[in-house]
Each structure stands twice: as structure tokens, then as C-alpha cells.
Amino acid sequence: MSDPTATPLPCPPPEVAVVIPTYKEAENVEEIVRRVGAALDGVAWELIFVDDDSPDGTCERARAAARRDPRVRVLQRVGRRGLSSACIEGMLATSAPHLAVMDGDLQHDESLLPRMLEALRAGDLDIVVGSRYVEGGGVGDWHPQRQAMSRLATRIGQRLIHADLQDPMSGFFMVRADVIQSCVRRLSGVGFKILLDIFSSAERPLRFRELPFTFRQRQAGASKLDNAVLWEYLLMLSQKLIGPYIPVRFIAFSLIGGLGIFVHMAVLWLILSTAGSGAFLIGQTSAALVAMTSNFFLNNLLTYRDMRLRGAQLLRGWLSFVLACSIGALANVGIANYLFQSGRSGWFLSALAGILVGAVWNYAVTAVYTWKRPAAA
């Protein structure tokens, strides 16, 4: 018997939430809403746009759609970017028991959503994946180089998750909400391959099915794939292999710092081979400055790409980075020298301890003072 005092719901709670991470997808918003609504006709659904503060008015378009249809919602993220983290926030922002993720570029086949939902309703699956690499699926008119890179990344991903998933790089899937809620604290949220992150973070092997679809051509907007995509993919893999206790930004920061050693030595060698050994002090100083500068720009481009400094902030950031790293170098030398002179460790362990202290100092200080606030979009 119904409670006569209960407030009637204006609409039924959603059975499925479709999460669309967006950046500069204003021209696609209305078509996405139309297509998803048509595909899920007869199903209680909601559509969640998670936008990384697009400068092209994507949020405004999405809000306009939400005013016409209350099943459309918008999450505008200011000061942070990233496809995987956007998907995670969108999936946590709904009460729907089934969660779908699709790109905002209309390249995924929304007509597959009802079949995904039907498969999950049966109760014997955790996740249904839209796959390009099972019979009946395809990548469309991809360039051969992109196909080769995708295949390589797929093979690496399959080894990581130890599952016979043919398309672990897919960005199109539907998952039970309780699966996400059980593993969300282990998700790295790094990069653009959230599906791989979910499979590798699950408490137990996930029960899955792959449904074929063919990747469509982009209708509007610009591709989010750039040269940093491979870097982010490798970082995500590193995070999964090392574990959650070392921040992924520190991993990236350290890798770039290691590259800085080679830059330093190359510059020093060039100066000494040109000016002679009498120019060692000048060469060492110049090499250190060049290495710090290259590290700063690489970190700004890759490690902190979601908080990238631009314009006047770039000069301020460079100055604070050089100052922090200079102090870090002094800490490196001081710690190493103390341990070696006191006989507490040999030269190798002393030097290693100094490098570690300097790296942690540089990372901690620059994270607070160099990239202390996100750059304007």
C-alpha cells in the first residue's frame, strides 16, 4: 500500500546514466541528446555532461538542453582536466544502477545502449563493452599508423588486466554502479583509458561481454588525441604496476628529472669541448640552468598538463621552479656528503639518498608554489 503522505516523484529515478566527458564539443551537444534520447526511448535515463571548462560554450549548450529536458545534467569542472577523472566524477554523481560512458564526438554507436542495458539486466555480467575488435566491429577509416598504435596499446593492456578482453582501450561501455563504487578508490584517474583502469582496479575478475560496433567519423569539434596521450597511457600503466602509494605525478616528475641529467651532461660536455676545462664552473652553472629549464617546460607540458601555465604565469612558474630546484640541489649534495663522510653508507647509497631527498623536495615545493593554481583555459 502506497504512503499517502509521500511526495510524488516528478519523474522516475534513472535506470541508466550516460556519462559524456567533454572538452570543446559545443557543436555536438544537441545531437548527442537527441540520439541518446531516441536510443533509450522507453527507459528511465539521464545524460550527464562532464565538461572541463570548455572555452567554446559547451557548458552553455548543455545547460540550454537541460532546461528543455530535466534528464540532462551538467558538471562543469574548473581547474582540472582529464577524460578518466571526468568519467569517474560523472559516474559518482548519479543514483542510476547502470552507468554508460561515451565520447562526446559522436563516434560511438548510441544504438548499442539498449543491448548493453539488456545484457546487464540479466544479472550475470558486471560490464558490457562496445568493441571494435570482435567480429562485426571495426575502426572505420583510421590511418594505418593509428591502427598500429591502437593494436600495440591493446596488447599491452591485455597483459595488464589478465583478461581475454579484445578491446581494453574502448571508451564505450556500460557497467553496474556497484562495480565502480567498490573500486573507485583504487582507480588512478590518469589519462584517457578509464575502461582499462576499471578492469585493473576491480577486486575480482569482472564478468564481461563485448558487443561489436564500428567507430564513426567525427562530426564536429576537434580530436582530444595529442602527443601526450601515449605518455598518459604509460603513466597509468606505471601507476598500476607500482601501486597507489606513489603519486602518478611524482612518477612523471621523476622520469623527467632523469632526462634532465642527460640534458645537463650534454650541455656541460658541449661547453667543455669548446672552451676547455677552465670553463667548468661556467659550464656546470649553464648546464644546470638549461636542465632546470627543460625540466620545467616538460613538466608543464606533461606532468601538469591539466594545470598548464601560460602567459605571464609561465615566467613566474619558471622562476619559482629554478629557485626550488636550486635549493633541492643543495639538499641533495648536503645529505649525500653527510652520509658518506659519516661512514653511514658507501658512495652509491649516499648519492642515491641525496638524489631521493632532492627529488622529493623539488616535487613537493614546485607542486605547491609553481603549479599552485590552474592556468586559465
Side-chain angles (χ1 to χ4, degrees), residues 34-91:
R34 186 191 69 77
R35 292 189 184 190
V36 169
L40 292 175
D41 185 36
V43 177
W45 58 268
E46 68 176 349
L47 182 60
I48 305 175
F49 288 100
V50 186
D51 185 68
D52 287 355
D53 203 23
S54 298
D56 69 339
T58 299
C59 274
E60 287 72 16
R61 294 282 186 92
R63 289 192 181 100
R67 285 191 288 270
R68 294 190 297 270
D69 188 335
R71 295 174 295 182
V72 178
R73 296 173 53 203
V74 185
L75 292 179
Q76 182 176 1
R77 306 200 308 168
V78 177
R80 59 195 189 280
R81 289 182 185 170
L83 190 147
S84 288
S85 59
C87 292
I88 293 169
E89 290 191 33
M91 289 189 288

Side-chain angles (χ1 to χ4, degrees), residues 14-17 19 46 48 73 87-100 126-127 173-187 194 197-199 201-204 206:
E15 182 180 3
V16 58
V19 177
E46 68 176 349
I48 305 175
R73 296 173 53 203
C87 292
I88 293 169
E89 290 191 33
M91 289 189 288
L92 294 178
T94 178
S95 62
H98 302 108
L99 311 170
D126 298 308
I127 189 167
F173 59 89
M174 188 180 293
V175 61
R176 292 201 341 257
D178 61 288
V179 172
I180 298 301
Q181 291 157 7
S182 68
C183 72
V184 66
R185 290 173 179 80
R186 291 186 296 276
L187 295 174
I194 181 63
D197 204 356
I198 293 170
F199 266 86
S201 300
E203 294 178 325
R204 54 173 175 76
L206 296 180

Side-chain angles (χ1 to χ4, degrees), residues 207-224:
R207 301 166 299 172
F208 66 89
R209 180 182 301 169
E210 293 183 84
L211 299 178
F213 84 101
T214 299
F215 214 65
R216 297 187 296 219
Q217 287 187 331
R218 167 178 283 276
Q219 301 299 309
S223 174
K224 310 303 180 297

Side-chain angles (χ1 to χ4, degrees), residues 222 345 351 371:
S345 61
W371 289 277

